[in-house]
Amino acid sequence: MKTKQLYYDDIDLLEFEANIIEMNEVKGEYHLILDQTAFYPEGGGMNCDMGFIDDIEVIRVNKKDDEIIHVLKDKPKQMKVVGKVDSYNRFTNIQIHDAQHLLTAIFEKDYDLKTVSHHVHGTYCDLVLEGEELTNEIMYDVERLSNQLIIENRRLDTTLVAKKDLAKLGVEDNPKYTDPVRMTNIEGLDDYNACGCLHFTSLAPIQAVKCLSIEKTGKQHKILFTAGLRMIEFFDEYNNIVKELKLLTKGNEQTIVTKTAESLEKNIVLSKELNEAKEDLYSEKLDKLIVDNKIIFEANEDSFDDLKILANSVVNYDKEIYGLLQTKKDDKYQFILVKQKNSDYSLSDLLNKLKDDFNVRGGGKGSSINGQSDVDLIKEIDKYL
């Protein structure tokens, strides 16, 4: 049965009644499907609504086909329930999402920088753009224009458009789109986008947008930004960190920068000295670890960096050697398949055999290959080497 999605009719609807049409217990949680809901499910780059159903906390909300699944900590006592959506969470989710639409539109329209993806990280988001050039000056120009359009309270239109009419708006059809397609457009920007998320009817509720930084990788640029009430949360966190650092350094902001730089420089030197000492130690013990030109070594839990150092010793060993180095982290096994650099042994063939027989992920070429496994390969590797 299809769940009626009340949030599309009225984004200000925060309390509603509904009937439970299906309920399942899954690992101590209760998955409810209602006949209607005002809870927006996670999807489309927007976080789900939070709140309560009959005073029981809603942990998350997902969508599967036409059904909205509400995950609760406890089991409701009756089949007719009252849902209450957290107004702050709903409002800030829309703020951050509409801010993303606004930034995306200006970057593409004015600078031919197209959005590849975006992700929400609590009090801030990232926006991944693709294009030739993005400088701090461009980023701050886009920020200023975004805030000017927010002050002007430009319209943000959400309309249903038949798939056959998408081309008239300059939008390519997509097999994933349902007919009709929910389209958004900001007044004056002609940024028609297919989007099933929730939106304000104008830009003023976003309040403000702040771009934080740029990270460049190839032709892609990752921008961190925050908006609205999440911006206050972000800078509250930032301010608390600065306060703690002032207490630790017993100085002002400049003292923090100076002492942090000094500490980082010392840490680099000490890390280099430590790694050199470990390399010497592993080089000395390597002979004792080799049996019949093979090495099988298990490090202490959560010591993958040590495995890398040992792998480097194996690669530079003066005789033919190959094998497996492994450690464990968070109930997963991390491993390195390694060989001496002049060895003809095929690590790729070894990895493929392990992939065929076990749940092993990994890849690479050369003298060492990193991977992860659900299985303790130390117990299995002898039959493959």
Side-chain angles (χ1 to χ4, degrees):
M1 178 180 176
K2 183 177 181 179
T3 305
K4 185 177 181 182
Q5 300 165 28
L6 302 174
Y7 42 79
Y8 283 144
D9 298 327
D10 183 3
I11 64 168
D12 295 320
L13 177 65
L14 301 175
E15 186 169 337
F16 65 98
E17 292 184 351
N19 295 304
I20 300 174
I21 57 176
E22 186 177 326
M23 179 165 52
N24 299 294
E25 184 178 357
V26 182
K27 297 181 179 179
E29 299 173 343
Y30 293 88
H31 292 210
L32 275 59
I33 298 174
L34 309 178
D35 60 349
Q36 61 178 8
T37 185
F39 281 91
Y40 177 81
E42 183 170 359
M46 185 169 174
N47 286 344
C48 67
D49 282 325
M50 307 300 287
F52 295 87
I53 291 178
D54 275 4
D55 297 324
I56 302 171
E57 184 179 358
V58 176
I59 303 170
R60 61 187 177 276
V61 186
N62 303 315
K63 185 178 182 181
K64 184 177 181 181
D65 299 325
D66 290 330
E67 296 176 334
I68 311 298
I69 302 170
H70 309 72
V71 182
L72 277 62
K73 288 186 174 181
D74 296 309
K75 181 180 180 181
K77 296 179 181 178
Q78 52 193 18
M79 298 303 287
K80 187 169 185 177
V81 296
V82 174
K84 295 180 181 179
V85 177
D86 184 312
S87 59
Y88 182 87
N89 183 70
R90 160 71 66 83
F91 187 74
T92 54
N93 280 351
I94 301 177
Q95 279 187 315
I96 211 82
H97 185 77
D98 283 354
Q100 176 264 312
H101 272 276
L102 178 57
L103 291 170
T104 291
I106 298 173
F107 274 120
E108 182 165 355
K109 185 174 187 293
D110 292 352
Y111 298 99
D112 198 27
L113 289 158
K114 297 184 179 181
T115 298
V116 177
S117 63
H118 68 279
H119 311 88
V120 181
H121 307 280
T123 60
Y124 69 95
C125 299
D126 70 53
L127 186 64
V128 180
L129 304 169
E130 197 166 64
E132 293 298 328
E133 182 184 20
L134 176 57
T135 63
N136 283 322
E137 288 75 16
I138 291 175
M139 180 178 72
Y140 291 130
D141 280 344
V142 172
E143 176 190 293
R144 282 190 288 272
L145 179 54
S146 296
N147 286 311
Q148 180 60 41
L149 297 183
I150 290 171
I151 292 170
E152 294 175 9
N153 196 22
R154 294 285 185 94
R155 287 195 329 275
L156 199 169
D157 299 318
T158 302
T159 55
L160 295 176
V161 178
K163 293 185 77 173
K164 64 181 179 63
D165 295 329
L166 290 178
K168 298 176 183 177
L169 303 176
V171 178
E172 292 184 12
D173 194 3
N174 188 314
K176 295 181 180 179
Y177 294 164
T178 56
D179 197 3
V181 185
R182 288 179 60 82
M183 301 293 297
T184 64
N185 177 48
I186 298 171
E187 178 189 357
L189 296 183
D190 294 329
D191 65 316
Y192 293 98
N193 280 283
C195 184
C197 298
L198 305 186
H199 303 277
F200 298 124
T201 57
S202 65
L203 298 183
I206 297 174
Q207 297 177 327
V209 172
K210 178 63 185 173
C211 294
L212 302 168
S213 64
I214 302 174
E215 177 184 328
K216 182 172 172 56
T217 53
K219 286 191 175 182
Q220 291 189 343
H221 314 268
K222 180 187 287 187
I223 287 186
L224 301 187
F225 75 92
T226 183
L229 295 173
R230 296 280 175 88
M231 186 190 307
I232 297 173
E233 294 176 14
F234 177 87
F235 284 106
D236 277 346
E237 292 175 2
Y238 177 84
N239 193 43
N240 288 335
I241 292 171
V242 171
K243 284 180 179 178
E244 290 183 19
L245 288 172
K246 282 183 177 180
L247 289 174
L248 287 170
T249 59
K250 298 179 181 179
N252 56 22
E253 285 84 352
Q254 186 56 50
T255 306
I256 294 171
V257 173
T258 302
K259 291 194 174 183
T260 300
E262 290 173 353
S263 296
L264 288 173
E265 187 174 345
K266 288 178 182 177
N267 186 60
I268 291 170
V269 173
L270 290 173
S271 295
K272 183 179 179 181
E273 291 176 353
L274 177 60
N275 287 339
E276 288 174 351
K278 285 182 177 180
E279 286 177 6
D280 292 340
L281 176 63
Y282 279 127
S283 295
E284 290 176 7
K285 66 187 294 189
L286 190 54
D287 285 329
K288 299 177 183 177
L289 298 173
I290 301 170
V291 179
D292 298 328
N293 285 30
K294 295 183 290 187
I295 177 170
I296 302 174
F297 179 78
E298 186 169 23
N300 294 327
E301 191 164 318
D302 194 17
S303 54
F304 194 66
D305 286 340
D306 285 353
L307 286 193
K308 291 179 181 178
I309 295 171
L310 177 56
N312 187 56
S313 297
V314 173
V315 169
N316 294 305
Y317 199 64
D318 59 0
K319 297 177 184 177
E320 169 122 2
I321 177 179
Y322 54 88
L324 167 75
L325 313 177
Q326 178 182 278
T327 188
K328 188 177 181 182
K329 182 177 182 181
D330 299 332
D331 296 324
K332 300 286 185 182
Y333 295 93
Q334 292 179 290
F335 65 84
I336 301 177
L337 300 177
V338 65
K339 68 175 184 177
Q340 189 257 359
K341 60 186 174 184
N342 294 323
S343 171
D344 293 329
Y345 191 85
S346 175
L347 295 181
S348 296
D349 288 348
L350 174 57
L351 179 64
N352 289 333
K353 290 176 184 176
L354 294 172
K355 283 182 175 180
D356 288 340
D357 294 343
F358 305 107
N359 184 20
V360 168
R361 286 81 65 199
K365 57 184 179 179
S367 296
S368 64
I369 294 176
N370 295 355
Q372 189 179 77
S373 172
D374 296 330
V375 177
D376 184 354
L377 295 178
I378 293 290
K379 297 178 180 177
E380 308 289 344
I381 199 65
D382 267 331
K383 67 184 79 166
Y384 294 90
L385 293 178

